[in-house]
Amino acid sequence: MSQFKLSSTESRPFGSTPVPASGAPLRLRSGARARAAAIQTLILAVIVAAVLAFVGLIWAGLQRHGIGFSLDFLDQPAGFNISEGLTVAQGPHGLTLVPFNSQQTYAQALLAGLYNTLVVTLISIVLATVLGVLVGVGRMSRNWVVKNWAWAFVELIRNTPLLIQIIFWYFAVLLQMPGLADASLLHGALIASRQGVFFAWPAATAAASHYAWFVGLAVAVSALGVLVGTPRRRRVAFVASAAILALGLAFTGWPFSIEMPEASSFSVSGGAGFSPEMASLIIALGVNFAAYVAEVVRGALQSIDKGQWEAAAALGLGHRESLWVVVLPQAVRVIVPSLGNLYVTIAKSTSFAIAIGFPDMFSVYGTVGNQTGRALEGILIVMVVYLLISLSISAIVNLYNRRVMKKGAR
Amino acid sequence: MSAIVQMHRLNKSYGAFHVLKDIDLQIQSGEVVVIIGASGSGKSTLIRCVNGLEHFGAGQLVVDGIELAPSEDGFGTSRKELAGIRKEVGMVFQHFNLFPHKTVLENVMLAPVRVRKWPRARAEATARKLLERVGLRDHIDKYPSQLSGGQQQRVAIARSLAMEPRLMLFDEPTSALDPEMVGEVLEVMRELARSGMTMIIVTHEMGFAREVADRIIYMDDGKVLEQGQPAAIFDHPVHERTRTFLSRVLTH
Amino acid sequence: MAMTIGRWTRHNLFASPSSSLLSLVSIPLTLYVGFLIARWALFSAHWAVVADNLAVLLVGTFPLEQVWRAMLAGAGLSALFGMTIGLVLLTQRWKGYAIAGAVLAVVAAVSYATHFQWIAGALGCLAIAFCACAATSRWPRVGRGMGLLWLLGVGAICALLAPAGVDRWGGLLLSVLVTAIATLLSLPVGIALAFARNSRFASLRLASTGYIELLRSVPLVCTVYWSWIIIPLVFPPQVHIPDLARGVAGFVLFYAAYAAEYVRSGIQGVPRGQSEAAQSLGFSALDESFIVVLPQALRAVIPALVGNVLDLFNNVPALFIIGLTDFLKAGQTVLANPQYSGSQYEIYVFMFAAYLAIGSLISYGARRIEGKMSQGAR
């Protein structure tokens, strides 16, 4: 009764392939493996050949244009100035950080650019993270106005180019600030002018070198406490170091004093500050990536099981407390890996600084490349440095991620 | 002897876990063999070795006259040789594994066109016939997500049959189905058995096994502990462990 | 349960003391800032600067006597975009879109008659986009080979614009064209890289991983500049590769790495059972990858890929580094003209608004796609 008689089941002779003679199976066996190994080697050879061919073509091209390839330019004097940034130079006691001047080498110029890149990256990362967490939390707020402001902020930033935001902050904000004379805010603690943003900053006093001894002692005691290990002893060690620090103050006086920025008509002395270029770059990057951090935070908060909120509420915690004490710490484990990617992107995005004349590494390279004609060598150096920066950031974040994962292992 | 599957001292380990231990087995053409046993006994791994989805560490395995090579890393048998085996060996999975981005008809037609290089017209005709046989003529242009589990599994069976295989493997075909849909799939399998198809079935459906199987194989802890006719195994099991397993399973 | 206004206000704005404080501060602030902006936009802003310079903003330094080429190119791109959006949305309200398109076409004709050429052109392109969207929503089969259509279409558009001089392309037209070309080229490369990354051959895996990690660690401006330097060195001196081609090459190299990562996560999301089913049926490795796995992988990551396209579009301004004039640079060029140098805010607000409109549209599209796919409708 079955109609499943398939066309060829009966009429086919046994075995679509005759069983090979006894010797053959062994050959078949090594055949497949040998073939795989052969393909593997072939692929490797093709890749290596392609790379070599590419490099060869470039070399030929360099010769043809009479350029050649050499890194000698790195030792030659730069002959141009960089408006800000520190570079490494030989001082009386070894290597020190000094401001760049035009007698220094091209290599030192690039180092000054690197310094600027790193400073901007670091501060932007901090700004973006703090602001981003606040905005991300704001997206979850029950207050309609706050929630929608946060939403508008994120949408506005993510849908428009970073470059236009950088230009906006520079031309439309920083350069529109008042001149030095009228720019004082907060009783002189902050000067926000179009020549830059300056603020009060601690500066070492005469007592600092004496106080350093107390600091050293306190650090040693804390380190001892950490190494020994038990939480109780650690706490004791920390309390002891705090006591040492307090005692030191009594002996030597304050090791630092708050220095206010003093503005004359053309410049500012005292305190610390950012040029308008650096300030606008930091603000632009910080604000821009805050939006992306906010999205990561929001996604992570939403991924936390609703039960956590309910349990916190049942314990009597208010909405804000539940968020900061119960839910957000759990969300950190989800957030950290994505943050690593964002931080690397921040580091890379500093290269847009060339658009507003901030001397970051890429911008300095631009000048160096133009003056020496060594564009190819320069860009290769710059790319390698960016690669190292990205790998370092990823490595650090991975380390932190591993610690976070271990703590809350599920 | 027309043994379509021959295993001799087949061994496989996942790292330290020795999952198949010295399996000796012969399956004749036209035989319906049902493999039963507890989870972790190695039944699924065994039939997945037959069509090369799992590779085995040591021993001999010949399927449809083609010998598969043992290997640790999966590089033992070439893809081409495996394709040769898989043309003649069909497999039905526990979770159907239909292609969600293709219609039911396309699902069934795809392999004959791409693998056996049939013209589309012939493949389509065969597909329509098979889908009619499994009772799904009205669902030909639907997508898998629009079908019930039982319907999807029947499509999966039709998909494998479209290749006109000489051997069909079933890896717990009804375990993922709601109880009311198990019957329709078993009916299709029953007809297939009656038509003379060689089948190796891993299942927990004991009533079905008793009715359809030519031979029952009981696997325990990676070994073939007992095998024989259904009546012998179900009514007079020899080993203690077989008896324990059957008593646990048959009380449902 | 219908929420009265009072209830809504109490719940959303004044739920707690801190919430109330926030509301009391932010609502007046928002209204005040909004008022200031509106007053500036309507009364003191000199929008003439935008109207006078539409040519530069839309097509850069394109030779104006051949502007018909640019118009045709714009029409072509709008048609392609419209068709794609229509295929994606498959909206039931295609009639509405068609009507919108017709209305825009009429307004465009009127503008043309009253000598607002560029506005007419822009509106005409929008009209075509709407109609194309309606067309593919109604007759999806028209968009059968959309990928191929894009390739041919973009190729044709490049051929159309080439006689005017590749170095003269600019403005919004350039931004959109670069986005299209770079996306079309980087996706296949990204797919190849993703499969190489999962290959069973260690040398392929290594090469692919190395490339992806390298390109993702280096800024886009570096990659673009590097391409710009390297490419003329590799080719013989008689062959002149335009700056634009070198820049686009840099974009493709960069974004292929990102596409590869998205596609790879898509591939990993396809259940193993699919590969096993394909293998059991005797599929070759190529067929298994391209007929079974890839379509499912791509479907899963389309929202992310669309986000990638938006990111590409927003990074086209990086081309300023090799001297090209995209939409953003065109705006800056306008400001360089002493006659308009005081109109900073007007130009930047206009460009900001334009980018926001385009970006929001693309983001909205990505969200719609995501929504449709999670419904399971295929």
Side-chain angles (χ1 to χ4, degrees):
Chain A
M1 79 182 262
S2 101
Q3 291 122 326
F4 264 119
K5 219 168 250 182
L6 296 171
S7 40
S8 47
T9 327
E10 280 87 351
S11 48
R12 283 254 207 87
F14 156 74
S16 26
T17 318
V19 179
S22 41
L26 276 163
R27 249 192 291 127
L28 272 177
R29 214 166 294 156
S30 56
R33 186 174 299 284
R35 213 168 332 168
I39 298 181
Q40 179 100 274
T41 327
L42 188 67
I43 292 176
L44 201 60
V46 165
I47 293 175
V48 170
V51 171
L52 285 176
F54 188 62
V55 173
L57 273 175
I58 295 177
W59 182 256
L62 285 171
Q63 304 295 57
R64 219 180 328 125
H65 288 256
I67 304 177
F69 188 96
S70 99
L71 293 171
D72 294 338
F73 72 98
L74 287 173
D75 284 326
Q76 290 163 1
F80 67 93
N81 264 314
I82 300 179
S83 58
E84 54 182 309
L86 302 177
T87 183
V88 174
Q90 277 286 12
H93 308 292
L95 297 174
T96 54
L97 285 175
V98 296
F100 180 80
N101 67 69
S102 52
Q103 269 93 18
Q104 289 174 321
T105 64
Y106 283 115
Q108 286 169 307
L110 287 172
L111 279 173
L114 177 60
Y115 174 84
N116 286 327
T117 297
L118 292 176
V119 168
V120 168
T121 305
L122 210 63
I123 303 180
S124 303
I125 285 178
V126 171
L127 181 59
T129 310
V130 170
L131 191 58
V133 169
L134 288 174
V135 174
V137 166
R139 290 266 283 180
M140 311 277 291
S141 166
R142 285 172 313 175
N143 183 303
W144 188 87
V145 177
V146 170
K147 186 156 59 153
N148 281 298
W149 260 102
W151 172 85
F153 174 79
V154 171
E155 287 300 301
L156 209 72
I157 295 218
R158 291 200 316 170
N159 289 324
T160 53
L162 174 60
L163 199 51
I164 205 176
Q165 293 169 32
I166 294 176
I167 290 174
F168 164 76
W169 286 105
Y170 185 59
F171 287 107
V173 176
L174 264 293
L175 288 188
Q176 303 301 322
M177 299 235 222
L180 273 177
D182 323 300
S184 180
L185 299 170
L186 298 178
H187 300 291
L190 176 68
I191 298 182
S193 75
R194 71 169 71 108
Q195 264 96 321
V197 176
F198 306 92
F199 43 88
W201 196 247
T205 61
S209 44
H210 300 287
Y211 194 69
W213 291 105
F214 285 94
V215 172
L217 191 59
V219 167
V221 170
S222 306
L224 207 66
V226 168
L227 284 171
V228 168
T230 62
R232 201 148 161 274
R233 290 212 196 124
R234 226 181 300 162
R235 227 169 289 152
V236 167
F238 285 149
V239 169
S241 5
I244 294 175
L245 288 175
L247 209 64
L249 283 179
F251 269 97
T252 62
W254 284 95
F256 58 85
S257 64
I258 306 290
E259 211 181 47
M260 302 289 252
E262 298 285 335
S264 65
S265 2
F266 299 111
S267 64
V268 172
S269 59
F274 299 119
S275 65
E277 289 81 16
M278 186 186 259
S280 45
L281 190 62
I282 290 176
I283 297 176
L285 288 175
V287 167
N288 180 292
F289 284 93
Y292 292 96
V293 172
E295 280 301 277
V296 171
V297 168
R298 181 181 72 97
L301 285 175
Q302 283 179 334
S303 75
I304 300 290
D305 188 28
K306 282 266 180 341
Q308 293 293 312
W309 291 95
E310 292 168 1
L315 285 169
L317 292 174
H319 180 84
R320 180 157 314 133
E321 274 180 303
S322 318
L323 178 67
W324 290 98
V325 175
V326 174
V327 179
L328 197 54
Q330 296 183 45
V332 168
R333 285 173 53 223
V334 181
I335 294 174
V336 170
S338 308
L339 283 189
N341 267 332
L342 282 176
Y343 292 168
V344 168
T345 314
I346 292 179
K348 295 192 305 175
S349 303
T350 57
S351 55
F352 281 128
I354 194 171
I356 56 173
F358 176 71
D360 79 309
M361 183 169 60
F362 188 73
S363 180
V364 169
Y365 153 74
T367 317
V368 171
N370 269 331
Q371 282 199 278
T372 62
R374 296 274 157 223
L376 182 58
E377 293 86 334
I379 194 94
L380 289 176
I381 296 173
V382 164
M383 283 167 80
V384 167
V385 176
Y386 274 117
L387 181 60
L388 289 172
I389 295 176
S390 304
L391 290 177
S392 311
I393 295 180
S394 300
I396 295 175
V397 172
N398 269 331
L399 258 157
Y400 183 67
N401 195 28
R402 223 169 293 167
R403 265 195 58 201
V404 165
M405 294 301 276
K406 234 188 288 173
K407 262 202 217 152
R410 190 178 297 182
Chain B
M1 300 259 277
S2 50
I4 200 167
V5 175
Q6 295 172 356
M7 289 180 209
H8 184 59
R9 303 198 59 171
L10 194 72
N11 277 281
K12 178 177 173 63
S13 300
Y14 283 118
F17 178 43
H18 197 172
V19 62
L20 293 176
K21 300 171 182 162
D22 281 334
I23 308 273
D24 278 301
L25 204 56
Q26 294 218 12
I27 315 272
Q28 309 300 332
S29 190
E31 226 189 326
V32 175
V33 173
V34 174
I35 307 181
I36 61 176
S39 330
S41 56
K43 353 187 261 296
S44 286
T45 314
L46 186 64
I47 66 165
R48 284 159 67 92
C49 284
V50 172
N51 73 344
L53 283 182
E54 302 274 357
H55 47 84
F56 57 98
Q60 211 193 27
L61 174 59
V62 181
V63 177
D64 196 29
I66 301 178
E67 175 161 5
L68 287 112
S71 72
E72 294 299 325
D73 53 5
F75 274 108
T77 319
S78 79
R79 182 88 183 215
K80 243 178 118 201
E81 285 166 346
L82 284 175
I85 292 178
R86 290 161 177 171
K87 271 194 228 176
E88 310 299 333
V89 178
M91 182 150 193
V92 175
F93 298 85
Q94 183 177 355
H95 294 288
F96 340 131
N97 290 336
L98 291 180
F99 303 135
H101 56 300
K102 304 270 180 205
T103 62
V104 163
L105 185 64
E106 286 165 355
N107 259 281
V108 179
M109 280 172 57
L110 203 54
V113 169
R114 301 292 317 183
V115 182
R116 286 210 186 274
K117 314 286 187 207
W118 284 1
R120 283 190 76 88
R122 178 178 171 199
E124 184 168 337
T126 311
R128 284 185 188 273
K129 227 187 327 167
L130 283 169
L131 285 166
E132 171 120 23
R133 294 288 182 262
V134 299
L136 290 171
R137 183 185 38 180
D138 301 324
H139 302 274
I140 274 183
D141 288 316
K142 293 210 182 136
Y143 284 91
S145 57
Q146 296 168 294
L147 301 180
S148 74
Q151 290 168 327
Q152 288 189 54
Q153 192 63 298
R154 284 187 274 153
V155 174
I157 296 176
R159 181 175 66 169
S160 295
L161 288 176
M163 289 290 284
E164 300 190 344
R166 309 191 61 216
L167 167 66
M168 286 279 283
L169 307 172
F170 291 83
D171 188 0
E172 302 202 36
T174 55
S175 298
L177 296 176
D178 289 337
E180 64 265 18
M181 294 190 249
V182 169
E184 64 198 49
V185 174
L186 292 181
E187 180 58 38
V188 169
M189 292 167 67
R190 208 172 279 127
E191 291 222 46
L192 198 53
R194 257 179 256 145
S195 77
M197 171 65 79
T198 318
M199 297 161 75
I200 308 178
I201 308 172
V202 172
T203 187
H204 295 297
E205 297 288 331
M206 298 303 162
F208 172 77
R210 188 190 196 111
E211 184 195 331
V212 151
D214 296 321
R215 177 166 38 136
I216 304 274
I217 294 177
Y218 172 67
M219 279 189 71
D220 184 283
D221 191 34
K223 292 211 220 0
V224 170
L225 204 60
E226 235 183 293
Q227 53 179 307
Q229 300 229 327
I233 297 287
F234 284 121
D235 298 333
H236 313 290
V238 169
H239 284 261
E240 177 69 41
R241 295 176 73 109
T242 322
R243 256 177 277 154
T244 323
F245 173 76
L246 286 174
S247 69
R248 261 188 291 137
V249 170
L250 289 174
T251 45
H252 289 150
Chain C
M1 178 181 86
M3 274 257 195
T4 64
I5 296 192
R7 256 212 145 98
W8 184 91
T9 318
R10 224 167 352 117
H11 182 77
N12 283 313
L13 296 175
F14 300 104
S16 69
S18 54
S19 183
S20 311
L21 186 64
L22 276 170
S23 303
L24 286 173
V25 166
S26 52
I27 294 178
L29 197 64
T30 313
L31 289 172
Y32 181 58
V33 168
F35 168 71
L36 283 178
I37 294 178
R39 193 179 65 175
W40 169 81
L42 291 172
F43 296 116
S44 29
H46 302 293
W47 292 110
V49 63
V50 173
D52 290 344
N53 290 294
L54 264 183
V56 175
L57 289 170
L58 289 178
V59 291
T61 49
F62 204 83
L64 287 173
E65 65 277 10
Q66 302 195 41
V67 78
W68 61 272
R69 293 182 187 268
M71 292 293 185
L72 262 181
L77 283 171
S78 308
L80 286 169
F81 273 113
M83 287 176 74
T84 314
I85 294 176
L87 273 178
V88 157
L89 287 182
L90 287 175
T91 175
Q92 304 289 18
R93 294 184 291 209
W94 57 272
K95 277 195 206 130
Y97 281 75
I99 294 176
V103 167
L104 281 169
V106 168
V107 177
V110 169
S111 319
Y112 191 75
T114 48
H115 298 294
F116 287 107
Q117 320 274 40
W118 290 98
I119 296 183
L123 288 175
C125 287
L126 266 179
I128 293 177
F130 270 100
C131 294
C133 179
T136 43
S137 281
R138 174 74 179 79
W139 301 291
R141 292 196 131 233
V142 174
R144 211 101 201 261
M146 200 68 223
L148 197 62
L149 215 64
W150 264 105
L151 276 170
L152 292 174
V154 168
I157 289 174
C158 287
L160 175 68
L161 292 172
V166 177
D167 300 317
R168 304 283 297 268
W169 298 359
L172 184 60
L173 179 64
L174 181 68
S175 290
V176 173
L177 199 56
V178 167
T179 305
I181 299 175
T183 305
L184 282 175
L185 293 178
S186 62
L187 194 58
V189 177
I191 292 175
L193 282 169
F195 276 114
R197 185 104 190 244
N198 285 339
S199 154
R200 53 197 185 116
F201 294 114
S203 47
L204 265 183
R205 280 202 309 270
L206 217 68
S208 169
T209 312
Y211 175 90
I212 294 174
E213 289 308 309
L214 178 65
L215 265 296
R216 293 198 337 152
S217 304
V218 172
L220 177 61
V221 289
C222 273
T223 312
V224 168
Y225 201 66
W226 178 85
S227 295
W228 185 80
I229 295 174
I230 288 276
I231 290 184
L233 291 176
V234 170
F235 282 88
Q238 307 90 314
V239 179
H240 168 70
I241 315 272
D243 289 340
L244 180 61
R246 302 184 231 163
V248 169
F251 267 82
V252 171
L253 288 174
F254 186 80
Y255 278 99
Y258 281 87
E261 282 298 275
Y262 289 125
V263 173
R264 185 171 77 103
S265 78
I267 292 176
Q268 285 176 337
V270 176
R272 264 197 78 204
Q274 292 291 308
S275 291
E276 289 182 351
Q279 286 168 15
S280 307
L281 288 165
F283 277 59
S284 66
L286 227 67
D287 277 352
E288 176 196 331
S289 296
F290 284 102
I291 300 184
V292 175
V293 174
L294 187 60
Q296 298 186 54
L298 284 181
R299 220 167 271 246
V301 296
I302 281 185
L305 286 177
V306 172
N308 206 30
V309 172
L310 176 58
D311 193 56
L312 217 172
F313 178 70
N314 281 337
N315 274 313
V316 169
L319 286 173
F320 82 89
I321 209 85
I322 54 176
L324 291 170
T325 307
D326 79 301
F327 187 47
L328 184 56
K329 191 81 172 96
Q332 291 179 296
T333 312
V334 168
L335 289 173
N337 184 339
Q339 184 185 359
Y340 298 110
S341 60
S343 310
Q344 301 239 8
Y345 285 107
E346 285 85 344
I347 286 282
Y348 282 125
V349 166
F350 169 70
M351 296 208 303
F352 209 82
Y355 272 112
L356 187 59
I358 298 173
S360 304
L361 217 70
I362 299 180
S363 295
Y364 173 71
R367 271 197 296 266
R368 275 291 294 264
I369 298 173
E370 215 169 346
K372 284 195 72 171
M373 276 168 25
S374 57
Q375 274 173 12
R378 280 185 222 267

